[in-house]
């Protein structure tokens, strides 16, 4: 009997990560599911004998390094790596504490890099493998009060582009997935981890109001899909011999994302400020 290929999914306790773990197990993979919440990992493992779980807080480099040592000692290589873990904080550049920015980079970028480094030797030896980096439409555009999160995704896009070329000779495929708004716990986490918004300087309140009003206007809650659309896309791409470098899915990917890619920086700034209403705002 042929051994099942091994997949690793970060941020597996909810949303896109959880759905992807389910889908991979159903497709015949053994799945290592990583996440912070031990209770949720327990319920995830009970769904299939092919799912093993590991508690990992990706904001803590020492925990990431310990997990990387385990990866290197595995008897078989990781065949599919889904770098899904990530979160956002919101606020204008002047007001977000630098420690909060550092922690977000630790989770969204540095731990992702380290886990990828740990998986690559096995993939290179096997001359095959898949790496899915969960970016965002924010990896190609940004909004007021969302600059720091977008910057982590811009960094991820650059890492993905470089890595894709570096490992192509080894038969390893690297794909960026760019979701628009997806119905997960993401928004709740943003609010919980951005307490400074409540004490924002009065001068910035009109900026926040304009930015949040615009986002509400372009994201009709009734049109926001659940995380299954992303896991289904990953499964669809896994079946392709020649995948595209990146795939977008969900709201705002059919209008705002193409608009940003088509416009130069000056045209985009003018368009964005006009759409949000910041072009006429004088404080």
């Amino acid at each position: 009997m042929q051994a099942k290929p091994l997949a690793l999914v970060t941020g597996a306790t909810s949303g896109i990560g959880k759905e992807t773990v389910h889908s991979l197990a159903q497709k015949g993979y053994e799945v290592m599911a990583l996440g912070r919440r031990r209770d949720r990992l327990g319920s995830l493992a009970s769904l299939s004998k092919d799912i093993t779980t590991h508690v990992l807080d990706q904001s803590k480099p020492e925990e990431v390094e310990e997990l990387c040592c385990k990866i290197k000692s595995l008897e078989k290589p990781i065949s599919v790596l889904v770098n899904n873990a990530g979160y956002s904080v919101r606020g204008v550049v002047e007001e977000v504490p630098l420690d909060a920015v550092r922690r977000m980079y630790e989770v969204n970028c540095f731990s992702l890099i380290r886990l990828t480094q740990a998986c690559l030797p096995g993939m290179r030896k096997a001359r095959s493998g898949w790496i899915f980096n969960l970016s965002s439409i924010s990896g190609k555009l940004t909004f007021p009060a969302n600059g720091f999160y977008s910057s982590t995704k811009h960094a991820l896009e650059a890492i993905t582009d470089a890595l894709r070329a570096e490992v192509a000779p080894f038969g390893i495929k690297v794909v960026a997935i760019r979701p628009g708004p997806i119905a997960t716990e993401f928004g709740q986490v943003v609010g919980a981890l951005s307490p400074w918004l409540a004490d924002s300087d009065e001068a910035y309140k009109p900026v926040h109001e304009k930015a949040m009003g615009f986002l509400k206007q372009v994201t009709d809650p009734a049109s926001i899909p659940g995380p299954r659309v992303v896991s289904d896309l990953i499964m669809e791409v896994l079946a392709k011999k020649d995948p595209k470098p990146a795939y977008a899915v969900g709201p705002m990917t059919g209008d705002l994302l193409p608009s940003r890619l088509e416009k130069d920086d000056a045209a985009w700034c003018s368009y964005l400020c006009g759409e949000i209403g910041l072009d006429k705002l004088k404080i």
Side-chain angles (χ1 to χ4, degrees), residues 81-266:
L81 169 62
V82 182
N83 283 313
N84 166 70
Y87 72 97
S88 173
V89 297
R90 187 164 290 152
V92 295
V93 170
E94 183 180 340
E95 294 187 333
V96 179
L98 201 53
D99 284 347
V101 179
R102 287 195 181 99
R103 184 180 186 276
M104 185 168 55
Y105 263 88
E106 197 68 59
V107 174
N108 293 10
C109 292
F110 300 146
S111 65
L112 177 150
I113 293 169
R114 188 66 193 99
L115 288 167
T116 301
Q117 290 174 334
C119 293
L120 278 171
M123 290 184 177
R124 284 193 295 103
K125 185 176 180 180
R127 294 296 191 269
S128 67
W130 288 82
I131 298 173
F132 290 91
N133 285 338
L134 267 293
S135 182
S136 165
I137 59 168
S138 292
K140 291 295 182 180
L141 57 85
T142 192
F143 304 102
N146 199 48
F148 288 120
Y149 172 68
S150 292
S151 74
T152 67
K153 295 302 183 181
H154 276 61
L156 176 56
E157 290 278 352
I159 293 163
T160 304
D161 284 348
L163 181 63
R164 185 183 299 115
E166 292 165 359
V167 301
F170 302 102
I172 302 168
K173 298 177 175 64
V174 181
V175 179
I177 303 293
R178 298 171 185 153
I182 302 294
T184 67
E185 298 174 12
F186 187 87
Q188 300 169 29
V189 173
V190 172
L193 295 181
S194 306
W196 46 83
L197 288 176
D199 300 318
S200 179
D201 191 293
E202 284 292 326
Y204 277 118
K205 289 197 181 296
V207 176
H208 282 295
E209 289 171 0
K210 291 285 188 183
M212 295 307 103
F214 171 73
L215 288 177
K216 288 179 181 178
Q217 174 186 329
V218 298
T219 54
D220 175 11
S223 69
I224 297 178
R228 185 64 182 268
V229 298
V230 182
S231 63
D232 284 350
L233 174 60
I234 292 173
M235 296 305 108
E236 178 185 327
V237 175
L238 265 176
K240 296 179 181 293
K241 290 184 178 180
D242 296 303
K244 294 192 295 185
Y247 294 83
V249 59
M252 300 169 67
T253 60
D255 43 22
L256 280 180
L257 184 56
S259 179
R260 177 61 185 105
L261 297 177
E262 292 165 1
K263 289 177 169 58
D264 63 25
D265 293 338

